[in-house]
Amino acid sequence: MRFASKMVYSLEQGGHAVLCTLRRFAFFVVAVSSLSNAVAQEPSLAPANGAEAGQITEIKVGYLRAYAPQLALSVLDVPPRDEGVAGAEVAIGDNNTTGRFLGQKFTLHVTEVKPDADVVPAFDDLVQRGAFYILADLSATQLLSIADLARDKGVLILNVGATDDRLREEECRANVFHTAPTRTMLADGLAQYLIWKQWRRWVLVYGSHEPDKLFADALRRAATRFGGEIVAEKQFTDTGTARRTDSGVVQIQRQIPVFTQGFPEHDVLLVADESEVFGTYVPYRTWVPRPVAGTAGLIPSAWHPASEQWGGTQIQNRFAKASGRRMLSKDMAAWTAGRIIGEAATRTQSADPETLAEFIRDGDFSVAAFKGQKLTFRKWNWQLRQPIFLGDGRSVVSTSPQEGFLHQITDLDTLGIDQPETRCALK
C-alpha cells in the first residue's frame, strides 16, 4: 500500500514535470509569434534551406536619395537630416528580427546625390554592390532616368518620395512600386473631409513653382470630383527674397492680409505651396477669419507624427528609440517599402528580385502599416492604397476615406486616380 502511494506520487510528479515542459514550450511558441507581430506582419517561420545548412543569404537594399539642406518658413519644419533613411533603417531591423530565423540578413546601403543631379552613376554603383532593391527618394525626372535601366538589370524600385501622378500614369513602369501617395490622393483625402463638414466653397491660393501648380491642379480635380466649388483663385509669386530674414513685419503683418483681401464668400482657404514660400504665414492672418487647409493649416499626409491609433504607438515608440525623433510621412513610406521587401523575402524564402516581384504583384499580397487595414497595390499602376491622415502641427484631426465615400472594390480607391480613368500602360 505504501509502495502504491509512492507510485502515485511519482506519477503525479512526472505528470507535473511534463505539464511544466508543455507550458514552457507553449510560452516559447507564443513568444515567437509575438516577435513576428512586433513588425506588424505574420511571416512564416519555417526554416529556409540556407538556414538548415547554416548559411546566411544577404539581401541588400539600396536607398538612393536626392538631398540638399532645405530651408522652411519655420525652423520647426526644416526636414531632419535622416528623413526617410531613418524609416528604412527601422524596417531593416524589423526584417532582421524575423530573418535571423530563416537564414536571411538584410542590409541597407545609402547613397546621396544632389537634387537634379544625374543619378545613373550612383544607381549603377548600388547595383554593382549587389543592391537589387532600391528605395528611391528622388524627383520624378531622376527616378525616370533609372527606371528602364533598373528593369533591364532586374532591379526593383520602390518610390518613397515622389508624389507626382505622372509616375503612376503616363510615365508608369512595371518595375516601379509606389509607397508614397500621389498628390491626387492627398487632395482627395482633404476634399472628402471638407465635403463631409459641408464646407463646400473654397478659395485657392497657390505658389508660382511647378510643384505648387501640380498640387493646385490636384485640388481643382478634387473639387470637381466631390462637389466642392472653387469660387476664386490667386497666385502668390515668389520674388526670391530670403524666406526668414526678409519676411518680418512686411510679409506677415501686411502682405498676407492684403493678399487675401477681396475674395468672395467662402468656407475654407486652400493653400498649395509645396515650395515653402508663403503658406506657413497664411493661417490666422487672412483678411477674414476662415480655416486654412492644404500645405498649411489642415494638412493631408501619408502619416502623422502624433498618430497612435491602430497600433501606431508601437511603431512611433520603436522609431523614436532608434532615431531620437518622431516619425514623418517619408519615414513611413520608406519603412513600408522596406517591410514589403522583407515580407516578400520571408514568404517566398528567396532573395531573387524576380521571385519577390511576382509575389508582390500577386492579388493576395498585402502589408500592414499601422493604418487600420492591410494595404494592397493597385494592379494598374502599382500604387499602394492607403488612408490619408489629416492633421495640424499637434494632432490627427481625421483620416480619409471619409464615411459615406464608397467604392465597389475598396473605399481606398476613392483616393487618387481610379482604374477607369487611368492613363497607365505598364511597360
Side-chain angles (χ1 to χ4, degrees), residues 87-316:
E89 289 174 341
V90 173
I92 293 298
D94 291 345
N95 291 346
N96 282 325
T97 297
T98 301
R100 68 170 179 261
F101 291 101
L102 306 174
Q104 294 176 332
K105 178 183 178 182
F106 296 82
T107 56
L108 184 69
H109 305 267
V110 181
T111 298
E112 292 184 355
V113 297
K114 296 291 185 181
D116 301 323
D118 181 8
V119 299
V120 172
F123 168 78
D124 287 338
D125 179 67
L126 282 171
V127 175
Q128 289 173 7
R129 291 156 59 187
F132 285 89
Y133 308 94
I134 303 296
L135 308 189
D137 183 6
L138 305 168
S139 70
T141 300
Q142 289 173 319
L143 194 153
L144 288 172
S145 72
I146 62 173
D148 294 338
L149 292 174
R151 179 195 59 207
D152 296 341
K153 295 183 178 183
V155 175
L156 290 186
I157 296 178
L158 290 97
N159 169 31
V160 303
T163 58
D164 301 67
D165 282 86
R166 69 185 177 112
L167 292 177
R168 291 82 162 173
E169 294 302 312
E170 58 268 22
E171 297 287 357
C172 63
R173 296 293 189 274
N175 63 313
V176 180
F177 298 84
H178 308 273
T179 59
T182 63
R183 287 188 178 92
T184 54
M185 292 171 67
L186 296 170
D188 286 353
L190 175 59
Q192 285 189 14
Y193 180 73
L194 299 181
I195 296 300
W196 184 83
K197 288 289 293 179
Q198 300 296 315
W199 298 342
R200 296 179 177 273
R201 292 172 60 84
W202 308 337
V203 164
L204 173 62
V205 295
Y206 57 95
S208 55
H209 296 279
E210 185 63 20
D212 311 330
K213 295 176 181 179
L214 290 173
F215 188 56
D217 287 341
L219 290 170
R220 295 185 190 101
R221 174 187 174 275
T224 301
R225 190 180 196 192
F226 297 114
E229 180 184 3
I230 298 179
V231 297
E233 295 188 16
K234 193 172 185 179
Q235 178 175 293
F236 188 101
T237 302
D238 184 4
T239 59
T241 56
R243 298 186 182 183
R244 292 192 192 131
T245 57
D246 293 340
S247 58
V249 174
V250 173
Q251 178 99 316
I252 299 174
Q253 294 292 92
R254 298 178 182 176
Q255 187 176 1
I256 293 300
V258 172
F259 179 78
T260 59
Q261 185 180 12
F263 289 135
E265 181 60 30
H266 58 283
D267 300 313
V268 181
L269 192 148
L270 299 181
V271 175
D273 178 37
E274 291 189 13
S275 304
E276 271 286 300
V277 173
F278 72 98
T280 301
Y281 295 150
V282 176
Y284 308 107
R285 299 185 180 99
T286 55
W287 187 263
V288 295
R290 292 293 182 271
V292 174
T295 59
L298 185 66
I299 301 174
S301 60
W303 183 249
H304 195 285
S307 177
E308 295 181 327
Q309 290 183 296
W310 309 303
T313 301
Q314 178 195 126
I315 186 64
Q316 297 276 26

Side-chain angles (χ1 to χ4, degrees), residues 26-49:
F27 176 79
F28 172 77
V29 171
V30 171
V32 171
S33 176
S34 299
L35 185 64
S36 172
N37 289 334
V39 293
Q41 298 291 336
E42 297 175 355
S44 169
L45 292 179
N49 294 333

